[in-house]
């Protein structure tokens, strides 16, 4: 046991740590003392004070003091700043002695604000315990809840409050919206399901080890939290397996995902390819032989359904046949059907990767998680998933810009409708869908300014509101799902008119030209452009439109000649980038103004739209209304504001 002068050495060491923190803050132009909650709360409207009782407070989350008294005695890391010959130093040393003899057992008294803790009583206890690297400090805590506002910090905090009610876990922080709801899903908890004591113990053990490995790999120098990185990790490795991992296994697995983690810090984490690369010759880097150019490729296609009963698979198969014709002696193709995404996909992907597949295309968005897991283990296999806006360098995505097609079909609906109500059946609330609905609305209003879009969802079971709008006599023209599709696939059909006998007369059918994607992506591998596209380890999303030939519309031959001429003109303007689908100022439901950051909406803004035009009747579905399959899809590709935490 240490006494006297030896004990003072601990204080001097703590003082040096405090002085280093002091100087670092001064150099950065920051306050070199503890934060003071009373100062922070000036002009903050506190709407509730909640006594939390005795709480195990994460030591790293104790960031300041409640009042200004004595706050200058400590640096921001809670290490002391007063000289060793002061009374303060003596009391600190006595506490140090008590801690080493029998431990400090008296809880501190603290306030929690925005999931950070401020000490009312026990600053020196916190200082001593932090000096000895305590992970948690017991405290009696009162929570101060601020009024809701639109700041990112406030919105994340309110998500935390919902999560805390279920889990009582307070040591995980996120820098982005949706993290807590995603964590609830990844630890295999249903939305609204409470955690048991065993759940908390298991998670605490896992997260402590994960955070240690994250920091050991340099995560402390990244502009993200350990919680952000943990979501990436659990998106690839099952939580149950992660809990059984040894520290070395976890470190090895995290190293494989490090590019995935670092991409979260990039302002442009996703490199959007909006058109196939055109032009003669090879990329310069390919000419310099920096990247390997294969002479032949083994290409595998994985489908959730089969060509016999799925128009979606048949469309992809046409693209596969075109790919074979484009490279008859260089591409060797294998197709696998009827793969259940949550059951079979991971094993099938493992098998084809072990069989030395060069490229794997998966045509179901629900396979994306399996793609990530296998890609982490087999980085030499190029894996792509048919989905949108996935920020993962390991797996590239490809999808058509559907909003261009729906704009033209909205215009056609406006021309052909006999009423001011036109229907729209959307598939799922995933990225790109609100933009497609809003583009349909813009096309409709172009020719029928007072018209309204009646929105329904194929992913909702609602017999009172059928997807053929037969309950609405004022809606005879609508954009609907294909009745030939198997139940549960929810693929779009196109614009139709409901005839008096209930049959549907097609007016305009979207055609997704998967041959354009498959041929041009494979061509990029052959010519070396594939590797140059991913410079900086960014995620690559292929989001191609009408100009690239990735989508077109098959119009009914019975349409009036003048209507076809108008649509042809609009399509030519789209090809030439002369048609502005979304005006600069748009009003969402509730007459809320939306404007792009610049003059035009960026592709990212369109992809991440999470609101509906004010002429749309109907809203985005609540997470709890959706079925299990759609929940899976939402966790992969769902709009952030709908991933289980919207109240």
């Amino acid at each position: 046991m240490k006494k006297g002068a030896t004990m003072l050495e601990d204080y001097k060491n703590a003082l040096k740590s405090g002085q280093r923190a002091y100087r670092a803050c001064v150099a950065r132009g920051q306050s070199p003392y503890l934060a003071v909650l009373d100062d922070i709360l000036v002009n903050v409207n506190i709407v509730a004070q909640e006594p939390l009782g005795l709480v195990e407070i994460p030591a790293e989350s104790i960031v300041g003091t409640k009042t200004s008294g004595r706050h200058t005695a400590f640096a921001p890391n809670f290490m002391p700043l007063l000289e060793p010959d002061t009374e303060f130093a003596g009391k600190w040393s006595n506490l140090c002695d008590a801690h080493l003899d029998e431990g400090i057992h008296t809880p501190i008294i603290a306030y929690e604000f925005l999931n950070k803790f401020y000490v009312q009583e026990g600053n020196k206890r916190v200082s001593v315990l932090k000096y000895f690297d305590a992970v948690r400090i017991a405290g009696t805590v009162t929570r101060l809840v601020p009024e809701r506002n639109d700041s990112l910090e406030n919105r994340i905090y309110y998500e935390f409050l919902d999560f805390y009610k279920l889990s009582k876990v307070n040591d995980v922080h996120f820098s982005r919206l949706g993290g807590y709801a995603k964590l609830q899903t990844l630890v295999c908890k249903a939305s609204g399901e409470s955690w048991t004591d065993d759940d908390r113990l298991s998670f605490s053990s896992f997260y402590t080890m994960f955070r240690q490995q994250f920091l050991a790999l340099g995560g402390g120098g990244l502009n993200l939290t350990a919680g952000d990185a943990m979501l990436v990790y659990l998106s690839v490795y099952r939580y149950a397996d992660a809990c059984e991992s040894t520290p070395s296994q976890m470190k090895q697995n995290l190293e494989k995902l490090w590019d995935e983690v670092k991409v979260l810090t990039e302002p442009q984490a996703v490199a959007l390819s909006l058109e196939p690369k055109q032009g003669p010759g090879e990329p310069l880097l390919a000419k310099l032989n920096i990247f390997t150019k294969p002479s032949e490729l083994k290409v595998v296609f994985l489908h959730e359904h089969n060509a016999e009963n799925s128009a979606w698979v048949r469309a992809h198969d046409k693209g596969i046949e075109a790919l074979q014709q484009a490279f008859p002696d260089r591409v060797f193709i294998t197709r696998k059907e009827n793969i259940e995404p949550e059951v079979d996909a991971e094993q099938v992907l493992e098998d084809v990767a072990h069989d030395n597949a060069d490229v794997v295309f998966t045509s179901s968005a629900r396979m994306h998680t399996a793609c990530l897991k296998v890609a982490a283990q087999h980085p030499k296999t190029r894996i792509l998933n048919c989905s949108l806006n996935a920020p993962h360098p390991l797996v590239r995505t490809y999808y058509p810009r559907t909003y261009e097609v729906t704009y033209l079909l909205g215009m056609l609906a406006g021309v052909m409708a006999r009423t001011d109500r036109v229907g729209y059946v959307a598939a799922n609330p995933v990225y790109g869908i609100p933009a497609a609905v809003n583009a349909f609305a813009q096309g409709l209003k172009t020719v029928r300014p007072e018209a309204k879009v009646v929105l329904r969802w194929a992913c909702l079971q609602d017999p009172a509101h059928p997807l053929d709008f037969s309950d609405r006599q004022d809606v005879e023209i609508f954009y609907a799902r294909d009745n030939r599709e198997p139940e549960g696939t929810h693929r779009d059909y196109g614009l139709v008119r409901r005839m008096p006998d209930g049959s549907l007369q097609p007016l305009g059918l979207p055609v997704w030209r998967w041959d354009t994607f498959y041929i041009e992506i494979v061509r990029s591998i052959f010519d070396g452009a594939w590797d140059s596209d991913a410079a900086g380890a960014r995620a690559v999303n292929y989001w191609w439109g009408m100009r690239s030939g990735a989508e077109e519309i098959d119009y009914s031959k019975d349409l009036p000649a003048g209507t076809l001429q108008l649509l042809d003109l609009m399509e030519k303007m789209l090809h030439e980038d002369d048609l502005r689908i979304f005006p600069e100022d748009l009003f969402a439901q509730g007459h809320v103004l939306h404007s792009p950051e610049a003059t035009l909406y960026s592709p990212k803004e369109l992809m991440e739209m999470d609101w509906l035009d004010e002429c749309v009747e109907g809203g985005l579905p609540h997470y709890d209304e959706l079925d299990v399959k759609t929940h899976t899809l939402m966790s992969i590709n769902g709009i952030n504001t709908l991933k289980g935490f919207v109240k």
Side-chain angles (χ1 to χ4, degrees), residues 231-466:
L231 293 183
V232 175
Y233 189 89
L234 292 180
S235 294
V236 175
Y237 299 105
R238 291 187 183 90
Y239 177 62
D241 296 336
C243 288
E244 297 295 325
S245 297
T246 65
S248 61
Q249 288 172 334
M250 184 172 286
K251 183 177 182 181
Q252 185 179 37
N253 289 339
L254 187 55
E255 284 175 331
K256 293 177 182 177
L257 293 177
W258 202 240
D259 280 344
E260 291 278 312
V261 170
K262 288 195 298 183
V263 80
L264 295 176
T265 67
E266 299 292 333
Q268 299 296 330
V270 177
L272 276 176
S273 167
L274 299 177
E275 304 290 343
K277 291 189 175 179
Q278 304 293 335
E282 297 175 303
L284 176 59
L285 293 177
K287 289 181 178 179
L288 296 173
N289 293 320
I290 291 179
F291 301 121
T292 302
K293 294 183 290 180
S295 58
E296 58 185 41
L297 293 169
K298 291 177 66 174
V299 183
V300 179
F301 291 86
L302 306 184
H303 300 309
E304 180 178 351
H305 300 289
N306 60 70
E308 183 177 347
N309 62 12
S310 172
W312 177 259
V313 174
R314 290 194 294 275
H316 280 273
D317 278 356
K318 287 183 180 178
I320 296 170
E321 292 165 5
L323 173 64
Q324 186 69 77
Q325 293 173 8
F327 304 101
D329 301 318
R330 303 182 68 190
V331 170
F332 302 92
I333 293 173
T334 302
R335 309 181 209 196
K336 295 180 182 291
E337 298 181 332
N338 299 317
I339 297 170
E340 180 60 38
E342 288 83 41
V343 178
D344 306 323
E346 186 176 343
Q347 186 58 55
V348 173
L349 280 160
E350 278 283 354
D351 291 343
V352 299
H354 277 297
D355 197 33
N356 297 316
D358 297 299
V359 191
V360 182
F361 290 97
T362 55
S363 64
S364 168
R366 291 172 59 217
M367 293 185 191
H368 191 274
T369 300
C371 291
L372 273 178
K373 292 177 180 178
V374 175
Q377 306 299 325
H378 301 276
K380 292 183 180 179
T381 302
R382 305 169 183 88
I383 300 179
L384 300 98
N385 180 251
C386 189
S387 59
L388 188 62
N389 200 35
H392 298 286
L394 289 171
V395 177
R396 300 192 183 187
T397 64
Y398 60 102
Y399 212 79
R401 290 204 296 272
T402 56
Y403 70 86
E404 295 180 350
V405 163
T406 57
Y407 175 83
L408 296 176
L409 291 176
M411 185 177 292
L412 174 58
V415 172
M416 301 300 291
R418 300 188 181 99
T419 71
D420 278 339
R421 293 295 185 275
V422 172
Y424 191 108
V425 177
N428 297 290
V430 297
Y431 287 118
I433 291 294
V437 176
N438 290 338
F440 185 86
Q442 303 315 308
L444 175 65
K445 292 191 294 184
T446 298
V447 294
R448 194 179 284 266
E450 302 303 317
K452 303 288 185 182
V453 176
V454 181
L455 176 63
R456 291 180 179 174
W457 294 90
C459 57
L460 296 181
Q461 300 297 321
D462 187 2
H465 299 91

Side-chain angles (χ1 to χ4, degrees), residues 184-205:
Q184 177 83 354
T185 300
L186 289 171
V187 299
C188 304
K189 289 290 182 183
S191 176
E193 182 181 356
S194 295
W195 293 37
T196 66
D197 289 341
D198 286 344
D199 292 333
R200 280 185 283 276
L201 285 171
S202 295
F203 179 78
S204 177
S205 176

